[in-house]
Amino acid sequence: MNKNILQKGFSNLCTAKAMTELYEANFKQVSKYVHATSRGHEAIQTALGMQLLPQDYAFPYYRDDAMLLSFGLEPYDVMLQLLAKKEDPFSGGRTYYSHPSLKDTDKPKIPHQSSATGMQAIPATGVAMGMQYKELQGLNDASLKDAPLVVCSLGDASVTEGEIAEAFQMAALKQMPILYLVQDNGWDISANAAETRAQNAYEYAQGFHGLDAISIDGANFTESYEAIEKVIKIIRKERRPFLVHAKVPLLNHHTSGVRMEWYRDDLEEARSRDPYPVFKKQLENHGFTAKEIDAIENTAKTKVQSDFEKALQAEDPKPEDLFTHDFAPTPISEEKGERTPDGADKVVMVDCALFAVEELMRKHKECLLYGQDVGGRLGGVFREAATLAQKFGDDRVFNTPIQEAFIVGSTVGMSAVGLKPIVEVQFADYIWPGLNQLFTEVSRSCYLSNGKWPVSMILRVPIGAYGSGGPYHSSSVESVITNIRGIKIAYPSNGADLKGLMKAAYYDPNPVVILEHKGLYWSKVPGTLTATSVEPSEDYVLPFGKAWVLQEIWKQEDIETCTIVTYGMGVHWAYNASGELDMRDQIEIIDLRTLYPLDEDTIMASVKKTGKCLVVTEEPSNNSFARALAGKIQEECFKYLDAPVMTIGSENMPAIPLNSTLEQTMIPSTEKVKAKIEVLLNY
């Protein structure tokens, strides 16, 4: 073992150890915010961190402060996060200690991740998938001497998570360049391995063909360094996944808020495996004198103490700092291009989206499409990806397993390496397994990384009741989606809007969910022919947050007027209802187009003009987005109203039944909207 490596590694271990000891000695000062430390894990973390390069990507977990130090971060840097200071380089004081995000040119890249109890495995694997894609498409940096790789660090307890299995499955299936490091200290919080795991991570990995694994003593620096060195060489050269199971002791509390003495009965045994004396002995065996070893330790302690005193004096965030980096700025702020070009064909809504994606993929090699059944054999269950795999190849348009969490969460990693994934959840009813990733990883990345890592992705979601789809293919889920802050949401009612919003979404650096009503795809539902459109030009873009005033009316004093606020299928119910009532000069329809951002100015101006408002949704109205919007309208327009703001939606039942009579009884219709309009106008 090279003496310089030993000296650098020991210095890093001593620094991390000194930080833990300082935190304990100053517990009252530092325990305001919860933290965990690497004590007992320092050897394997240091051995790995020292061998990563600036082109690599790392996903440390919340106990990996020694790994962060080995990347070249100073104790001061991580202490700023410990104390939630304004200049915390990871999050600006927004998230916990050792929850890093980093984009320095001279260090491994660290995209944002949540508390990393398993969820980080999917975004990390997404980075590896992105690296592989770039290599296949010739988009990688061929000048690099060493091909990049990804490290995903995991605690042993997290490996029981279902999302870990999704990540391992895809990495093994596609042979991606990723190293999963599992640090096994035998504990969850108070539950131990015997209670919660049928096998350790090394044994578990045997079930994933194509994922090689080794098990090592992670408390031994020399063994760890040499094992990691071999594994990294394999991954860089052979571009395939590997798992390293490192057995380590936990020598400090689970977190500062959950003290080890409350429940641990193995502390003496754990201390007998402390990596510090083992490492010290290895230095002695390589000719280091006691004086030299003491000097390394004392230098580390002095540095830690000095950085701590400096961090204590650092500035706290100001109240106004709360309101930055919820979204990255978008270049699309106004409608551009030709919406109805001369000579263009009129096409159904599903084809408007298909042609938009095709144009984007032809223009941008960074654009790719994946999801269930979107590949060449089928091209999507709604034919929304038909011909794309044939035109662009199986590497750019491909099927995934039934893994909604992976489909959604992998976009974090794909975006991090500069790609623009368009992904699909096959039905809105299937989005639930993906919500963990959408909420914890996708939506919060920009905000919690202080603007460093916005996630640029498009998630397409076929939605709504159509043709007796039954309880598992008919749901409306917008109220759940709109409660996730940090994403943009479109819900178009026609093909031209869908194409324009799809293009705007592509050029938006933020995550976008596009809800696409299945009943509008081909306009087969009676009364939805207006969902077909002359196909807009290739350069047509429609900015988010700009509602369409359909059937605009003048303010009238002698007859009753009202505003209908709606979106998606509701636009067609409202339009047809007003026509059948012969009241198109009395009813102004606001097609929201996007649910976030919401064009509140247009809504409020219309309601103040008409004096009455009906919000139409396909969702059951109780506790819904529509009911919340109605409350907002009532609050802002109260003194202009001649009636309460009303809503109409589906019946408040648990699911949409399969039987067509029951389905029609459940959901709104033109007739039901007509009746509600009459109630409102006669109020």
Side-chain angles (χ1 to χ4, degrees):
M1 175 63 69
N2 182 295
K3 285 188 73 172
N4 288 333
I5 291 173
L6 284 171
Q7 180 172 338
K8 187 177 179 182
F10 186 65
S11 173
N12 199 78
L13 182 147
C14 288
T15 302
K17 177 173 174 286
M19 287 163 60
T20 300
E21 291 166 351
L22 180 142
Y23 299 164
E24 285 297 293
N26 296 273
F27 181 74
K28 287 187 177 180
Q29 266 183 302
V30 302
S31 62
K32 180 178 180 181
Y33 306 113
V34 172
H35 64 270
T37 72
S38 60
R39 189 70 188 95
H41 295 229
E42 303 99 329
I44 181 62
Q45 290 181 23
T46 301
L48 174 61
M50 287 174 62
Q51 300 187 62
L52 295 189
L53 302 173
Q55 62 263 39
D56 296 330
Y57 282 69
F59 287 74
Y61 90 115
Y62 60 83
R63 199 174 296 286
D64 282 352
D65 56 7
M67 188 183 296
L68 296 178
L69 295 172
S70 68
F71 291 164
L73 288 157
E74 299 291 332
Y76 177 69
D77 296 322
V78 292
M79 287 171 178
L80 287 173
Q81 191 173 55
L82 173 79
L83 301 169
K85 296 294 186 176
K86 180 182 175 71
E87 298 305 319
D88 154 30
F90 307 130
S91 73
R94 289 174 174 170
T95 193
Y96 293 99
Y97 179 72
S98 202
H99 285 53
S101 57
L102 199 66
K103 217 170 186 178
D104 291 0
T105 56
D106 62 340
K107 299 180 185 70
K109 308 301 173 285
I110 309 177
H112 162 265
Q113 60 188 9
S114 62
S115 280
T117 50
M119 288 83 74
Q120 76 275 26
I122 286 177
T125 308
V127 169
M129 187 162 74
M131 287 178 175
Q132 183 182 69
Y133 176 83
K134 290 175 76 171
E135 289 166 12
L136 290 168
Q137 297 297 318
L139 298 172
N140 58 313
D141 185 351
S143 69
L144 290 173
K145 178 185 173 185
D146 298 295
L149 56 80
V150 187
V151 168
C152 176
S153 179
L154 299 156
D156 55 312
S158 72
V159 179
T160 58
E161 284 269 5
E163 292 184 4
I164 297 288
E166 293 192 18
F168 286 2
Q169 181 74 241
M170 282 297 285
L173 177 68
K174 300 287 188 178
Q175 290 294 284
M176 299 175 188
I178 186 168
L179 165 57
Y180 299 104
L181 170 66
V182 181
Q183 299 173 59
D184 186 351
N185 61 38
W187 287 94
D188 294 17
I189 297 179
S190 64
N192 62 30
E195 294 175 74
T196 58
R197 296 189 271 298
Q199 66 279 306
N200 66 34
Y202 168 75
E203 295 161 338
Y204 184 52
Q206 309 308 308
F208 296 90
H209 296 167
L211 175 61
D212 282 353
I214 58 172
S215 187
I216 64 171
D217 179 4
N220 184 313
F221 176 80
T222 301
E223 179 182 337
S224 296
Y225 192 95
E226 292 174 347
I228 293 293
E229 186 176 38
K230 290 176 184 176
V231 168
I232 283 179
K233 282 182 179 177
I234 291 170
I235 298 173
R236 291 204 195 280
K237 182 179 179 182
E238 300 179 20
R239 317 306 284 152
R240 61 186 177 91
F242 222 104
L243 183 143
V244 175
H245 170 245
K247 291 171 285 188
V248 291
L250 178 59
L251 301 182
N252 197 36
H253 315 293
H254 169 73
T255 65
S256 55
V258 183
R259 315 290 289 174
M260 57 186 173
E261 58 268 16
W262 293 349
Y263 60 90
R264 294 278 297 275
D265 55 8
D266 67 335
L267 290 174
E268 287 306 313
E269 187 278 333
R271 288 172 185 134
S272 72
R273 295 185 287 125
D274 188 340
Y276 166 70
V278 175
F279 204 162
K280 203 171 179 180
K281 184 68 174 174
Q282 289 172 349
L283 263 64
E284 292 170 354
N285 292 341
H286 281 79
F288 285 84
T289 66
K291 186 176 180 180
E292 288 173 324
I293 294 170
D294 287 345
I296 295 170
E297 286 195 74
N298 290 333
T299 299
K301 289 177 181 178
T302 301
K303 171 68 171 172
V304 166
Q305 182 64 44
S306 172
D307 280 13
F308 181 61
E309 290 169 4
K310 182 181 170 186
L312 287 172
Q313 302 305 313
E315 184 184 0
D316 284 319
K318 293 180 170 61
E320 56 267 27
D321 294 328
L322 174 70
F323 301 102
T324 60
H325 302 302
D326 51 343
F327 290 99
T330 176
I332 307 300
S333 59
E334 58 186 70
E335 188 173 4
K336 290 183 179 178
E338 290 188 78
R339 184 179 175 92
T340 55
D342 293 338
D345 294 331
K346 200 167 189 179
V347 297
V348 293
M349 189 167 168
V350 71
D351 284 346
C352 274
L354 174 65
F355 298 152
V357 174
E358 181 177 339
E359 289 166 359
L360 288 167
M361 294 189 74
R362 193 182 300 120
K363 190 173 183 179
H364 305 283
K365 288 188 78 172
E366 297 82 8
C367 180
L368 68 161
L369 173 71
Y370 57 94
Q372 295 166 32
D373 298 303
V374 300
R377 290 193 191 90
L378 186 60
V381 295
F382 302 105
R383 305 294 287 157
E384 72 282 2
T387 74
L388 293 180
Q390 289 82 357
K391 290 175 179 174
F392 298 104
D394 294 335
D395 294 326
R396 293 189 69 188
V397 182
F398 57 89
N399 295 326
T400 65
I402 302 173
Q403 292 186 348
E404 286 81 11
F406 186 88
I407 291 167
V408 174
S410 60
T411 64
V412 175
M414 298 290 269
S415 173
V417 296
L419 301 175
K420 182 75 180 203
I422 302 174
V423 298
E424 181 184 304
V425 169
Q426 201 165 75
F427 291 90
D429 307 71
Y430 301 170
I431 200 170
W432 310 114
L435 285 184
N436 185 26
Q437 290 290 324
L438 188 63
F439 179 77
T440 61
E441 311 300 329
V442 174
S443 72
R444 296 176 164 194
S445 183
C446 186
Y447 187 68
L448 292 181
S449 70
N450 223 19
K452 292 189 296 295
W453 295 102
V455 177
S456 188
M457 58 86 86
I458 299 172
L459 172 60
R460 298 180 65 185
V461 184
I463 193 170
Y466 165 64
S468 296
Y472 308 114
H473 303 84
S474 307
S475 296
S476 294
V477 300
E478 58 265 30
S479 291
V480 174
I481 306 302
T482 52
N483 265 287
I484 300 175
R485 279 67 174 174
I487 58 175
K488 297 184 179 182
I489 305 157
Y491 200 150
S493 67
N494 61 79
D497 283 357
L498 177 53
K499 184 173 184 181
L501 290 167
M502 183 80 73
K503 291 293 182 75
Y506 184 84
Y507 296 109
D508 196 312
N510 301 289
V512 175
V513 176
I514 302 182
L515 304 173
E516 305 173 19
H517 199 291
K518 306 189 301 292
L520 300 178
Y521 268 157
W522 300 287
S523 291
K524 289 183 178 180
V525 176
T528 61
L529 280 176
T530 47
T532 62
S533 308
V534 172
E535 187 196 352
S537 62
E538 183 171 348
D539 63 347
Y540 179 66
V541 291
L542 184 62
F544 277 57
K546 302 291 185 183
W548 176 35
V549 182
L550 171 64
Q551 214 166 267
E552 187 171 3
I553 64 173
W554 297 101
K555 184 174 179 65
Q556 301 175 59
E557 302 295 343
D558 54 336
I559 59 173
E560 291 297 313
T561 57
C562 76
T563 299
I564 298 179
V565 180
T566 187
Y567 51 92
M569 184 65 81
V571 174
H572 301 275
W573 290 326
Y575 181 74
N576 295 331
S578 64
E580 290 183 17
L581 288 168
D582 196 21
M583 290 183 174
R584 286 189 173 151
D585 60 343
Q586 295 173 250
I587 299 172
E588 190 159 282
I589 300 171
I590 307 295
D591 180 353
L592 293 177
R593 288 173 164 167
T594 64
L595 308 187
Y596 193 87
L598 189 64
D599 188 352
E600 293 187 15
D601 291 344
T602 297
I603 296 168
M604 303 310 170
S606 177
V607 175
K608 288 174 182 178
K609 175 174 64 177
T610 65
K612 292 182 177 180
C613 180
L614 173 63
V615 182
V616 179
T617 179
E618 188 172 317
E619 280 193 300
S621 58
N622 280 5
N623 306 312
S624 65
F625 165 79
R627 189 59 62 81
L629 178 55
K632 175 82 169 176
I633 295 167
Q634 189 119 312
E635 182 179 331
E636 294 208 9
C637 301
F638 183 74
K639 64 183 180 180
Y640 299 91
L641 293 173
D642 298 321
V645 177
M646 296 184 182
T647 60
I648 182 171
S650 290
E651 300 296 333
N652 292 295
M653 303 305 291
I656 297 176
L658 181 64
N659 177 273
S660 58
T661 300
L662 297 177
E663 178 189 62
Q664 291 307 309
T665 305
M666 174 79 174
I667 65 175
S669 64
T670 296
E671 288 301 315
K672 293 178 185 179
V673 173
K674 275 169 58 179
K676 196 72 172 182
I677 291 170
E678 290 182 311
V679 170
L680 178 60
L681 290 178
N682 292 325
Y683 185 87

